[in-house]
Amino acid sequence: MAPGSSPGAVVYVGEQRLIKVRVDVIHYDSSGCSERQDVSVQGCADAVRQNGITWMNVNGVHDVGLIEHLGERFGLHPMTMEDIVNTTQRPKVEEFEGYIFMVLKMIAFNEVSQSIDIEHVSVILGQNFVISFLEDDGDVFDGVRERIRSSGGRIRWMKADYLAYSLMDAVVDHYFLAVERMGDIIEEVDDRLLEDPRPNDIKEIHGLKRGILSLRKAVWPIREEVGVIVKSESPLLTAESRVFWRDLYDHSIQIIDLVETHRDILGGMHDTYLSILSHRMNEVMKVLTIISTIFIPLTFIAGVYGMNFKEMPELQWRGGYYSVWALMIVIATSLFLYFRRKHWL
């Protein structure tokens, strides 16, 4: 939201996109389901008036005009529409008259860039309808769609709140996939770090730390959000679905525990990398110090007998040259054995 804008101003905040915003509608009940793509706002309203449950999935939130039109048609509060188009909005849940508004982040692991992709998702739970708003085309809801089409599970016999739960559950399940993939990479880096640390490892560790921080920022509010739903007394939440919301709350806690574990491991890896580098430097300095220590007395002897004074009696000795060599060898050997006995070598 731009500074100075009035509260409730619907201003898109996020990456500029050129794709056309599309609204897909699935209408179902216990007897069957129907699907339509690229439906108008009036078509969405007509679908909700029918018996059964209507799921409207909005692909893209950069078309402010369409979001405002949809909000007016379904009685959404201006503050809700403002949060829908603000892709930086923190995950949260709010109850309004006639609907419940939920914000969360959809997470996927990008194998190409080896990083975390985060997409803004908003969900509106109303009486016999659910509206999901996605930042971009593409989502993790294919499993939910397939269950509706095939009448798999209980989704076709439950109310709209179970559909909202199913959408959030699909998002949280993909948190597990992203976190586990991050965990695999962290384990690989950790094993390599102990065997053969490389200069670019510290850069990779920092990249993983940024990814974990992004995950943590997206995941931590989910527990609070689902906790509010579990405790809510809204008539839109049926007694039959509450056990599923409580299970989702447990899943959110598991995700947070995994993220915190990986965060602690990465912090330890950073310290381990610096310790290994320090140890290697100490080993190098120890070897250089030992070599210097051995050669210091030898250099002293060579320097003394390299002076050009005439009155140096040892220079006239018949075996002087060999005696000096013998002395230097004895000194070097004695120092070497001494260092070995001290376990410095």
Side-chain angles (χ1 to χ4, degrees), residues 75-119:
L76 303 183
H77 194 278
M79 297 299 292
T80 298
M81 290 187 285
E82 176 188 326
D83 291 338
I84 289 173
V85 298
N86 182 6
T87 61
T88 63
Q89 174 62 49
R90 183 179 184 271
K92 65 175 183 178
V93 59
E94 292 181 335
E95 294 186 23
F96 293 87
E97 184 178 355
Y99 69 92
I100 299 175
F101 175 55
M102 293 164 277
V103 179
L104 61 157
K105 301 296 181 180
M106 187 164 60
I107 294 174
F109 185 81
N110 191 322
E111 292 289 348
V112 177
S113 62
Q114 296 286 288
S115 61
I116 296 294
D117 291 338
I118 299 179
E119 183 177 343

Side-chain angles (χ1 to χ4, degrees), residues 18 56 81 87 99 125 141 182 200 229-230 267 296:
L18 299 177
M56 293 155 279
M81 290 187 285
T87 61
Y99 69 92
L125 168 61
F141 301 145
M182 286 285 287
N200 63 340
I229 296 174
V230 169
I296 283 173

Side-chain angles (χ1 to χ4, degrees), residues 259-304:
V259 170
E260 290 301 310
T261 299
H262 293 332
R263 183 166 173 258
D264 293 340
I265 292 174
L266 281 171
M269 285 171 58
H270 186 271
D271 295 338
T272 300
Y273 177 80
L274 296 179
S275 298
I276 291 174
L277 286 186
S278 178
H279 177 71
R280 281 190 168 187
M281 182 62 68
N282 290 338
E283 289 295 317
V284 171
M285 293 303 297
K286 183 177 72 173
V287 172
L288 293 177
T289 301
I290 290 173
I291 292 173
S292 300
T293 303
I294 291 174
F295 276 90
I296 283 173
L298 307 185
T299 304
F300 173 75
I301 293 172
V304 169

Side-chain angles (χ1 to χ4, degrees), residues 4-264:
S5 300
S6 61
V10 185
V11 179
Y12 173 68
V13 178
E15 296 182 7
Q16 295 299 320
R17 303 181 187 275
L18 299 177
I19 62 171
K20 180 180 181 297
V21 175
R22 189 183 75 252
V23 183
D24 300 331
V25 175
I26 297 180
H27 183 82
Y28 65 90
D29 54 24
S30 58
S31 61
C33 72
S34 61
E35 297 183 51
R36 290 184 294 164
Q37 293 186 341
D38 201 9
V39 180
S40 65
V41 173
Q42 183 58 46
C44 294
D46 293 340
V48 172
R49 294 192 186 100
Q50 303 172 17
N51 294 328
I53 307 299
T54 304
W55 173 22
M56 293 155 279
N57 189 52
V58 183
N59 297 283
V61 294
H62 51 279
D63 189 342
V64 174
L66 187 144
I67 300 299
E68 288 181 324
H69 191 191
L70 197 63
E72 291 171 1
R73 179 65 65 176
F74 288 94
L76 303 183
H77 194 278
M79 297 299 292
T80 298
M81 290 187 285
E82 176 188 326
D83 291 338
I84 289 173
V85 298
N86 182 6
T87 61
T88 63
Q89 174 62 49
R90 183 179 184 271
K92 65 175 183 178
V93 59
E94 292 181 335
E95 294 186 23
F96 293 87
E97 184 178 355
Y99 69 92
I100 299 175
F101 175 55
M102 293 164 277
V103 179
L104 61 157
K105 301 296 181 180
M106 187 164 60
I107 294 174
F109 185 81
N110 191 322
E111 292 289 348
V112 177
S113 62
Q114 296 286 288
S115 61
I116 296 294
D117 291 338
I118 299 179
E119 183 177 343
H120 180 69
V121 179
S122 303
V123 177
I124 301 289
L125 168 61
Q127 188 68 40
N128 297 328
F129 72 88
V130 171
I131 310 176
S132 55
F133 298 86
L134 306 179
E135 183 180 348
D136 199 0
D137 195 9
D139 53 49
V140 297
F141 301 145
D142 287 341
V144 179
R145 295 187 182 94
E146 187 57 34
R147 282 154 52 196
I148 294 174
R149 293 166 185 152
S150 63
S151 189
R154 56 178 58 81
I155 192 167
R156 289 259 291 268
W157 286 266
M158 299 287 281
K159 299 296 184 181
D161 61 332
Y162 186 81
L163 173 60
Y165 153 77
S166 299
L167 298 181
M168 290 191 68
D169 185 57
V171 171
V172 173
D173 283 346
H174 275 73
Y175 287 179
F176 281 102
L177 298 179
V179 172
E180 288 174 1
R181 186 69 185 93
M182 286 285 287
D184 293 340
I185 296 176
I186 291 172
E187 185 176 349
E188 292 173 5
V189 175
D190 193 26
D191 292 340
R192 189 180 70 238
L193 196 63
L194 296 175
E195 296 175 0
D196 182 29
R198 299 175 296 187
N200 63 340
D201 283 340
I202 191 68
K203 182 178 179 181
E204 188 169 3
I205 290 172
H206 278 293
L208 290 171
K209 288 181 72 173
R210 284 194 296 269
I212 286 295
L213 288 175
S214 297
L215 273 173
R216 190 172 185 269
K217 185 178 178 181
V219 168
W220 261 95
I222 291 295
R223 180 178 64 175
E224 176 186 348
E225 181 175 356
V226 180
V228 171
I229 296 174
V230 169
K231 297 175 183 178
S232 173
E233 298 181 357
S234 171
L236 296 173
L237 300 170
T238 61
E240 294 83 357
S241 67
R242 290 190 180 276
V243 63
F244 299 104
W245 287 107
R246 289 196 296 269
D247 182 67
L248 183 60
Y249 181 79
D250 293 339
H251 288 177
S252 66
I253 294 177
Q254 292 177 27
I255 285 291
I256 291 172
D257 289 342
L258 285 173
V259 170
E260 290 301 310
T261 299
H262 293 332
R263 183 166 173 258
D264 293 340

